[in-house]
Amino acid sequence: MPTVEELYRNYGILADATEQVGQHKDAYQVILDGVKGGTKEKRLAAQFIPKFFKHFPELADSAINAQLDLCEDEDVSIRRQAIKELPQFATGENLPRVADILTQLLQTDDSAEFNLVNNALLSIFKMDAKGTLGGLFSQILQGEDIVRERAIKFLSTKLKTLPDEVLTKEVEELILTESKKVLEDVTGEEFVLFMKILSGLKSLQTVSGRQQLVELVAEQADLEQTFNPSDPDCVDRLLQCTRQAVPLFSKNVHSTRFVTYFCEQVLPNLGTLTTPVEGLDIQLEVLKLLAEMSSFCGDMEKLETNLRKLFDKLLEYMPLPPEEAENGENAGNEEPKLQFSYVECLLYSFHQLGRKLPDFLTAKLNAEKLKDFKIRLQYFARGLQVYIRQLRLALQGKTGEALKTEENKIKVVALKITNNINVLIKDLFHIPPSYKSTVTLSWKPVQKVEIGQKRASEDTTSGSPPKKSSAGPKRDARQIYNPPSGKYSSNLGNFNYGERFRGSRGQEIETILANRVKPRLY
């Protein structure tokens, strides 16, 4: 093995040869052999090998292998130097191989080394995006779990930093094609990351692009399969997929397929839903998603049937007035429990779908059914007035910091809920029932939209990311993946659900409302 002096001497031969450097193959071979030496020799080899690499194509494999040996050295300083120089080997047909090597090196636990690998990957990405993607997706599909995980995270965080001249339409098409292969077998968290990746691509910001994404999500959700409410993974998969689909819906990209599935398969089983997520009000979660989707439902094939299922479910949460004894007191022991959060969701969904069949209440229901519904509406509306007055009184004069306390935040949301229900009930009391009023769901931010202005999340723009195709090699069964269908895993023990989907806030709101003084309703 060469000494430090021999390495310097052969480096000098190559450096002085200028245009004839390719004629000194023996000198370059000595430098390659430097990887077998001690620490000093390896450090020099890590710098000298890439410097003259392009002049010796016949030694390309040997040179890349030598540099790879240095990338795996026990000495961290040697590894870092070798990794830093790897982009110099990314020429021509060698680039996908270098990308593959760098992707594998993402598994390092050394933070400085990890940053070097990220920078090196970004560097070769700008040289040849397609070749780099080839190496990345090769490891995502076939590599170790830790490599797969970090490669996906690299794509989800770094793609958006690349300039337009790198992320061309052809490159984005390749990302979509390869992503579809990966989506044949993903965990829940991986699915969310890939939706973040795909929804950020410029080519998918159009109406047709968003429609493609909705179809991808629908396929992952298994909307063709019978829903199993007692299977936590089945329930969780549907909810996660629906969460990813909701931001994609608009007046041009319809939610009809999802709304139909919820009405036909989920609503009838609402009371038996199970979830692996502790503390999640699964029923309220489902109803919130349905309400958000109902605004963008297109023409529905079985509209009357599904509207009736929605109507029947709404009746379950809108009680009849309690019977009174002869002395005018309630014959029962207590007032019916009013679940305002549930009613807001169901009433809003019914109001949205009812616009498509405005004579449902008058022509599709018999007189007794309609009378019964109006009695329930009237009872609920009278109770609402009391709650609204009390909430307004509790919040009166409070501004700024006072409104930021947890209790007052809950009261503000409770007031939104009761106001929303009140507006919708007034619409339904019209003769004939009206569906013209517009409300903003209590958990959604209020958006002021001027006439003629597009929605902030319309298809032609993207503020924040709303945010099976050709067969690919199947991944071996991993411990984290054991789905019954072989297509989607919802083992999400470590997955962080956003605060938006937790059930505790809804339960607190119901408690606030339940603790108001209950009015006697006549």
Side-chain angles (χ1 to χ4, degrees):
M1 61 187 70
T3 63
V4 169
E5 291 75 17
E6 288 174 318
L7 287 171
Y8 272 119
R9 184 169 63 252
N10 283 279
Y11 173 83
I13 292 172
L14 295 173
D16 294 340
T18 59
E19 295 182 2
Q20 283 74 44
V21 63
Q23 299 175 11
H24 298 276
K25 183 177 177 180
D26 291 342
Y28 190 60
Q29 185 62 57
V30 171
I31 291 176
L32 293 180
D33 293 338
V35 302
K36 301 172 185 176
T39 301
K40 293 181 180 179
E41 289 79 9
K42 289 178 179 178
R43 286 178 181 169
L44 289 175
Q47 300 173 59
F48 296 168
I49 292 173
K51 186 173 182 65
F52 301 103
F53 171 75
K54 64 182 179 181
H55 299 291
F56 300 96
E58 69 276 18
L59 293 176
D61 284 345
S62 298
I64 293 175
N65 288 334
Q67 195 77 3
L68 182 56
D69 287 341
L70 297 174
C71 290
E72 298 173 341
D73 196 83
E74 293 181 357
D75 189 315
V76 66
S77 63
I78 293 174
R79 292 202 307 270
R80 291 176 184 175
Q81 181 64 45
I83 292 169
K84 184 179 179 181
E85 303 294 346
L86 269 178
Q88 295 193 52
F89 295 86
T91 57
E93 61 184 18
N94 295 316
L95 190 141
R97 183 182 175 189
V98 173
D100 191 284
I101 292 169
L102 284 169
T103 305
Q104 293 181 61
L105 291 173
L106 285 170
Q107 64 187 295
T108 179
D109 292 324
D110 182 276
S111 58
E113 203 172 314
F114 182 77
N115 289 334
L116 284 171
V117 174
N118 272 269
N119 291 336
L121 272 170
L122 284 173
S123 176
I124 66 171
F125 220 117
K126 293 171 184 176
M127 299 178 196
D128 181 353
K130 287 185 176 181
T132 306
L133 286 168
L136 281 161
F137 276 103
S138 172
Q139 286 301 317
I140 289 172
L141 286 165
Q142 301 174 6
E144 297 295 325
D145 286 347
I146 183 66
V147 175
R148 172 186 172 97
E149 174 189 338
R150 294 188 179 180
I152 293 172
K153 286 183 178 177
F154 173 86
L155 288 174
S156 69
T157 57
K158 302 300 182 183
L159 279 182
K160 59 188 177 185
T161 68
L162 295 170
D164 291 348
E165 56 266 27
V166 174
L167 283 181
T168 62
K169 183 179 179 181
E170 291 74 20
V171 170
E172 291 194 343
E173 287 175 352
L174 177 61
I175 293 171
L176 177 59
T177 299
E178 293 301 312
S179 295
K180 286 179 178 179
K181 296 177 185 177
V182 180
L183 287 173
E184 293 177 8
D185 177 6
V186 288
T187 65
E189 186 173 3
E190 289 171 345
F191 172 65
V192 171
L193 288 174
F194 266 101
M195 288 307 300
K196 177 182 177 183
I197 292 168
L198 296 176
S199 61
L201 299 180
K202 295 187 300 295
S203 58
L204 295 180
Q205 302 302 312
T206 61
V207 170
S208 60
R210 293 301 173 94
Q211 189 62 52
Q212 280 191 72
L213 291 178
V214 168
E215 289 168 3
L216 268 179
V217 177
E219 189 172 353
Q220 289 294 324
D222 268 343
L223 297 185
E224 300 300 324
Q225 299 298 317
T226 301
F227 182 64
N228 183 359
S230 62
D231 180 359
D233 284 344
C234 177
V235 175
D236 195 53
R237 180 178 64 240
L238 176 64
L239 295 193
Q240 264 214 86
C241 289
T242 306
R243 291 187 194 112
Q244 297 306 309
V246 164
L248 301 171
F249 296 135
S250 70
K251 64 180 181 181
N252 296 315
V253 181
H254 295 157
S255 58
T256 314
R257 193 174 172 190
F258 280 83
V259 173
T260 299
Y261 191 83
F262 269 60
C263 289
E264 293 180 351
Q265 301 270 349
V266 185
L267 279 184
N269 298 295
L270 192 65
T272 59
L273 295 178
T274 54
T275 174
V277 185
E278 187 177 352
L280 179 70
D281 185 341
I282 189 67
Q283 296 183 43
L284 182 57
E285 165 71 348
V286 165
L287 296 179
K288 281 186 173 183
L289 290 171
L290 175 59
E292 289 191 57
M293 293 189 295
S294 64
S295 304
F296 305 112
C297 184
D299 295 334
M300 185 181 287
E301 187 176 340
K302 299 177 181 178
L303 177 59
E304 183 181 340
T305 300
N306 290 327
L307 196 56
R308 189 175 295 275
K309 289 179 179 179
L310 187 54
F311 176 78
D312 290 342
K313 185 58 64 175
L314 173 61
L315 290 184
E316 292 181 22
Y317 293 95
M318 299 201 73
L320 286 165
E323 294 181 4
E324 293 188 353
E326 292 182 1
N327 60 4
E329 296 294 330
N330 289 343
N333 294 324
E334 59 182 36
E335 299 277 355
K337 182 179 179 182
L338 305 182
Q339 300 202 52
F340 295 89
S341 296
Y342 286 43
V343 170
E344 179 196 18
C345 297
L346 286 163
L347 200 56
Y348 181 89
S349 301
F350 179 78
H351 192 266
Q352 292 294 317
L353 296 187
R355 292 175 178 176
K356 301 178 180 299
L357 192 62
D359 65 345
F360 175 80
L361 290 174
T362 54
K364 307 299 180 182
L365 294 181
N366 60 46
E368 282 300 314
K369 196 85 170 178
L370 181 57
K371 180 181 177 182
D372 172 86
F373 182 51
K374 289 204 168 185
I375 291 173
R376 294 171 190 263
L377 285 177
Q378 189 175 39
Y379 174 67
F380 213 99
R382 287 177 176 174
L384 276 176
Q385 299 306 316
V386 176
Y387 288 124
I388 290 172
R389 284 197 299 271
Q390 291 180 346
L391 286 167
R392 284 177 176 167
L393 185 63
L395 294 170
Q396 188 174 0
K398 292 184 171 63
T399 58
E401 292 300 317
L403 289 175
K404 293 181 181 179
T405 65
E406 192 61 28
E407 182 180 354
N408 284 334
K409 282 182 181 178
I410 294 172
K411 288 178 180 176
V412 168
V413 176
L415 185 57
K416 288 181 181 178
I417 293 173
T418 49
N419 277 330
N420 282 348
I421 298 173
N422 192 44
V423 169
L424 297 176
I425 286 179
K426 283 182 177 179
D427 249 17
L428 296 181
F429 260 122
H430 281 118
I431 301 176
S434 170
Y435 299 92
K436 294 180 180 180
S437 293
T438 301
V439 300
T440 300
L441 291 164
S442 60
W443 63 92
K444 302 287 287 182
V446 177
Q447 293 182 347
K448 294 182 179 179
V449 181
E450 297 178 3
I451 296 175
Q453 179 184 347
K454 291 185 177 180
R455 292 190 314 114
S457 59
E458 188 50 63
D459 307 294
T460 52
T461 61
S462 175
S464 57
K467 317 227 184 284
K468 294 179 184 174
S469 63
S470 56
K474 285 284 185 181
R475 289 181 54 74
D476 295 331
R478 305 194 299 280
Q479 290 183 351
I480 57 174
Y481 180 69
N482 187 26
S485 65
K487 186 170 78 168
Y488 186 105
S489 169
S490 292
N491 188 342
L492 295 170
N494 297 321
F495 185 73
N496 181 22
Y497 292 86
E499 200 172 290
R500 168 187 170 201
F501 295 107
R502 293 198 177 277
S504 57
R505 173 61 64 89
Q507 293 162 2
E508 290 171 345
I509 290 169
E510 298 301 340
T511 301
I512 288 281
L513 291 168
N515 288 336
R516 301 279 134 215
V517 177
K518 288 186 173 18
R520 284 192 62 195
L521 304 178
Y522 299 97

